[in-house]
Amino acid sequence: MAIEQSPTFNGEVRLDHLSVLDIKGENAEKFLQGQTSAQVSLANGTFAPLTCFCTPKGRIIANGQLFRVAEHHYRLLVSTTLAEKLATHLRKFAVFYRAELSVNTDIALVGAGLGQALKRAEALGLELPASGYLHSGDEKASVLRLPFEERYLFCIEENVPAIDTALENAWRLADIRSGIAWLDVVQEDHFLPQMINWEALGGISFKKGCYTGQEVVARAHFRGQVKKRLVRASLNTHALPAATETLVSDEGKSLGEVVSSAFGDQGHVELLVVVATKAIDEPLPLYLNDQPVTLESLPYAVERLDPEQLSASLMAT
């Protein structure tokens, strides 16, 4: 039985688990185009595509959201544990384009529900984006609207109060209920993008040219070779399972692993897990630490969503 859910995130919280990686230079777009799954030209200052960076074998190094804050200046929202590692990796290629990369520690990230977002946007002179995936602002202050739920993420150059543990959990819970996984350092070089439903969220362009890992990602898509998928789940426990903990069948066979978790309602923990598609389709009983796991519905269909189509529809409204 599906658990009862709160519809929205309320309040405001500093998001220390995320960071911004700045990419600057006249050739920054061309540089990024050869490295990331996004069609970089879509990051036009208004549309902010989801994206990922892969190894030559198509495994995700880091995933994030890309937005442009000024001419020749892009920002990538990415897990804090992966930001500097990704920057170090990309600098090997950026030098050929005279592009500069830096983790911007002067930027504070603040997550807000609608009420607090309206107040903060007014104070900053920003207009809240009308739909998910959209962005407004500049290098000093900007705001993203997250998909599926009326949540906003501000990037600002100011001091923000210390993190609130309860609100941080609520924010992570909203990510889980939105079916959006932010990979951590323990998951680096672990998943194909489709295993975290990235093509269903508009995070992969199959219409752009080559980028690192593109051939493997495209082959997996067109040949139907993806045998694992991201799903929501819930578990009756009072302890958060760690990322990469194993989900097993009733026979003890490994069928998946934990991606992220947060405390939910009524003594439950809610999860994002990557599991074998056969466990979803049949479905098969799943267990984590000897406790039964219940699969929950996602707020989107697990089918290809081209970012070009997504951008065009949002920009037209």
Side-chain angles (χ1 to χ4, degrees):
M1 182 177 68
I3 62 176
E4 182 182 346
Q5 295 183 1
S6 303
T8 57
F9 171 85
N10 296 306
E12 183 176 272
V13 63
R14 194 177 79 193
L15 302 174
D16 288 351
H17 67 289
L18 297 174
S19 295
V20 289
L21 175 60
D22 279 341
I23 305 100
K24 299 180 181 180
E26 290 187 7
N27 295 315
E29 179 180 335
K30 187 176 181 180
F31 156 65
L32 286 168
Q33 184 73 356
Q35 296 298 325
T36 183
S37 65
Q39 183 69 265
V40 180
S41 61
L42 296 177
N44 58 4
T46 301
F47 183 66
L50 294 175
T51 191
C52 63
F53 296 81
C54 296
T55 69
K57 294 183 178 181
R59 301 284 168 161
I60 299 174
I61 298 171
N63 65 324
Q65 190 163 10
L66 184 69
F67 49 104
R68 196 183 74 188
V69 292
E71 187 178 13
H72 310 312
H73 184 178
Y74 295 87
R75 279 199 170 131
L76 178 72
L77 184 69
V78 66
S79 168
T80 297
T81 63
L82 283 167
E84 194 56 61
K85 292 192 72 172
L86 179 63
T88 299
H89 167 75
L90 292 176
R91 286 188 188 107
K92 294 181 292 185
F93 311 99
V95 64
F96 299 107
Y97 297 86
R98 297 182 180 178
E100 298 179 358
L101 293 95
S102 60
V103 179
N104 193 333
T105 56
D106 293 328
I107 292 289
L109 299 178
V110 178
L114 178 59
Q116 293 296 325
L118 285 169
K119 295 176 183 177
R120 186 169 283 277
E122 182 179 7
L124 294 169
L126 294 173
E127 182 177 346
L128 289 182
S131 300
Y133 295 94
L134 297 185
H135 163 266
S136 66
D138 56 25
E139 296 165 297
K140 299 294 184 182
S142 65
V143 57
L144 286 165
R145 179 165 171 178
L146 283 270
F148 308 120
E149 188 175 338
E150 202 152 10
R151 290 188 297 150
Y152 300 85
L153 193 151
F154 289 85
C155 300
I156 52 178
E157 291 184 343
E158 64 178 69
N159 292 325
V160 177
I163 197 164
D164 181 298
T165 303
L167 283 173
E168 181 192 27
N169 179 82
W171 184 269
R172 291 177 183 266
L173 182 63
D175 277 342
I176 289 170
R177 291 177 174 177
S178 295
I180 299 175
W182 293 95
L183 299 186
D184 211 335
V185 67
V186 296
Q187 295 143 337
E188 180 186 5
D189 194 13
H190 197 56
F191 298 119
L192 289 171
Q194 292 96 327
M195 291 179 183
I196 61 166
N197 299 347
W198 220 233
E199 89 284 25
L201 291 162
I204 306 172
S205 172
F206 292 98
K207 299 181 178 182
K208 65 175 287 184
C210 292
Y211 59 91
T212 303
Q214 179 266 342
E215 184 178 350
V216 176
V217 174
R219 187 187 307 123
H221 172 72
F222 290 111
R223 295 185 180 179
Q225 295 174 331
V226 181
K227 302 303 181 184
K228 295 180 180 180
R229 282 290 184 180
L230 184 81
V231 293
R232 289 180 55 232
S234 61
L235 180 69
N236 188 6
T237 182
H238 294 287
L240 289 182
T244 74
E245 283 196 50
T246 303
L247 282 76
V248 298
S249 68
D250 51 7
E251 297 175 345
K253 182 179 179 180
S254 174
L255 289 175
E257 63 187 88
V258 175
V259 176
S260 59
S261 62
F263 293 109
D265 305 319
Q266 303 173 356
H268 282 77
V269 162
E270 297 189 33
L271 316 163
L272 287 176
V273 296
V274 168
V275 300
T277 52
K278 64 180 181 180
I280 305 169
D281 297 337
E282 293 188 18
L284 298 176
L286 291 169
Y287 299 88
L288 179 63
N289 299 326
D290 297 323
Q291 294 294 319
V293 174
T294 301
L295 299 186
E296 309 285 349
S297 61
L298 289 164
Y300 54 83
V302 182
E303 57 189 33
R304 173 174 159 181
L305 174 62
D306 288 327
E308 294 85 356
Q309 175 189 352
L310 176 61
S311 174
S313 64
L314 292 174
M315 298 295 287
T317 58

